[in-house]
Amino acid sequence: MSQVNQKVIVITGASSGLGEATATHLAALGAKVVLGARRLERINALADRITTSGGSALAVQTDVKVRSEVENLVNAAIDHFGRVDVMLNNAGIMPQAPMAHTRVEEWDQQIDINIKGVLYGIAAVLPHMIERRSGQIINVSSVAGHKVIPPATVYCATKHAVRALTEGLRMEMTPHNIRTTILSPGAVATELPDSIKDADVAKGIRDFYEQCAIPADSFARAVEFAISQPEDVDINEILFRPTAQEL
Ligand SMILES: NC(=O)c1ccc[n+]([C@@H]2O[C@H](COP(=O)([O-])OP(=O)(O)OC[C@H]3O[C@@H](n4cnc5c(N)ncnc54)[C@H](OP(=O)(O)O)[C@@H]3O)[C@@H](O)[C@H]2O)c1
């Protein structure tokens, strides 16, 4: 029996891209998935598809910028399925633009979603996991968490932050038997480039993605690998790229 089977897995940003692909993949392996995102109709439709195929899913409208909504997502998972085994903090945006354009609202949004949203996810599950002495927190960073690639400067800063706080969390959680994983993808075909509002930058990124992006199930399989290890094995970090991606 797969180690994924019957695990209760909360996924933020489950309405598209990596989150949607991962929910579909893990549910097919027997996981009970709890789907969070702002677009309720999308996660409701995904939950319907999963349950129609014989899986278990619950959709909860969630804006990760709002701490109480992330708490509500986790509480709904515990009420419905009895526990949370895995928290996948995946929601994120990438509105890159040169810093000289001072799109400060986009800087704020990236910090609020990519960093604070992850912290709210951690805060929401940590007391529950510490009490159970069991659990896994998977935070999504990026190749941009390893390299600084202008004009994605602020995005890179947020993804470096995700790696730093996840590594610190790992060290602090060793007495509590809680696993942490940093997942850092390269270019994967999703809706992520849609968050770029600067027309020139958006075109360059779209061209780059068209050249080399790989399907989202690549990410889903990496999540499965991290989750399915025995409990005394913690996959701390996975960095993967399309074979064709040089950067
Ligand atoms: N695709 C790549 O090449 C790539 C590479 C490295 C890292 N990543 C990271 O992977 C993660 C997932 O991105 P993706 O590629 O799957 O892009 P995507 O298709 O645009 O999905 C982003 C998800 O985040 C959700 N989201 C955005 N703002 C949110 C908010 N305030 N509250 C709750 N959910 C929110 C979106 O849902 P709603 O709009 O419905 O809320 C959507 O489900 C991100 O953290 C991204 O930085 C992606």
Side-chain angles (χ1 to χ4, degrees):
M1 186 184 286
S2 155
Q3 296 269 347
V4 173
N5 191 30
Q6 298 300 315
K7 282 203 167 160
V8 180
I9 301 173
V10 177
I11 303 173
T12 67
S15 60
S16 66
L18 306 184
E20 179 182 8
T22 304
T24 305
H25 183 73
L26 297 179
L29 295 172
K32 299 168 181 177
V33 291
V34 182
L35 316 170
R38 293 166 303 177
R39 288 172 292 180
L40 183 60
E41 67 291 351
R42 289 257 203 138
I43 50 176
N44 273 339
L46 175 58
D48 284 348
R49 286 199 298 279
I50 289 170
T51 47
T52 303
S53 317
S56 297
L58 175 71
V60 183
Q61 189 170 35
T62 309
D63 184 337
V64 299
K65 295 195 297 300
V66 183
R67 184 180 170 194
S68 60
E69 293 193 18
V70 183
E71 287 172 342
N72 180 56
L73 171 69
V74 168
N75 288 338
I78 295 169
D79 288 347
H80 201 80
F81 291 122
R83 65 184 189 282
V84 173
D85 296 303
V86 180
M87 180 77 191
L88 175 57
N89 289 306
N90 164 73
I93 58 168
M94 186 183 67
Q96 20 178 316
M99 293 205 77
H101 294 185
T102 57
R103 297 174 82 109
V104 177
E105 276 182 18
E106 291 184 350
W107 301 353
D108 285 340
Q109 286 165 3
Q110 289 178 89
I111 289 165
D112 287 347
I113 296 170
N114 298 3
I115 302 177
K116 290 176 70 178
V118 170
L119 286 168
Y120 291 161
I122 292 168
V125 290
L126 216 48
H128 172 72
M129 289 182 175
I130 288 173
E131 191 185 342
R132 295 184 62 236
R133 285 192 58 76
S134 178
Q136 183 168 12
I137 297 173
I138 305 176
N139 296 331
V140 181
S141 180
S142 171
V143 167
H146 292 256
K147 295 187 168 198
V148 179
I149 314 163
T153 303
V154 176
Y155 179 74
C156 292
T158 65
K159 292 302 183 182
H160 276 70
V162 168
R163 288 187 61 231
L165 65 89
T166 310
E167 172 58 7
L169 180 69
R170 181 192 70 75
M171 297 170 79
E172 292 193 41
M173 286 304 113
T174 50
H176 300 288
N177 194 43
I178 292 169
R179 303 191 291 181
T180 71
T181 303
I182 301 161
L183 241 164
S184 296
V188 182
T190 68
E191 297 174 18
L192 194 67
D194 296 350
S195 62
I196 303 172
K197 303 301 175 222
D198 184 299
D200 292 340
V201 177
K203 184 180 180 322
I205 294 293
R206 274 184 217 292
D207 290 349
F208 171 65
Y209 271 63
E210 267 170 33
Q211 278 163 25
C212 71
I214 51 178
D217 60 359
S218 57
F219 176 89
R221 289 192 303 275
V223 174
E224 178 199 345
F225 175 73
I227 291 175
S228 60
Q229 300 307 307
E231 203 176 358
D232 59 353
V233 178
D234 185 2
I235 302 299
N236 304 138
E237 178 151 21
I238 298 174
L239 168 63
F240 73 95
R241 293 174 172 83
T243 310
Q245 178 178 340
E246 191 214 323
L247 194 68

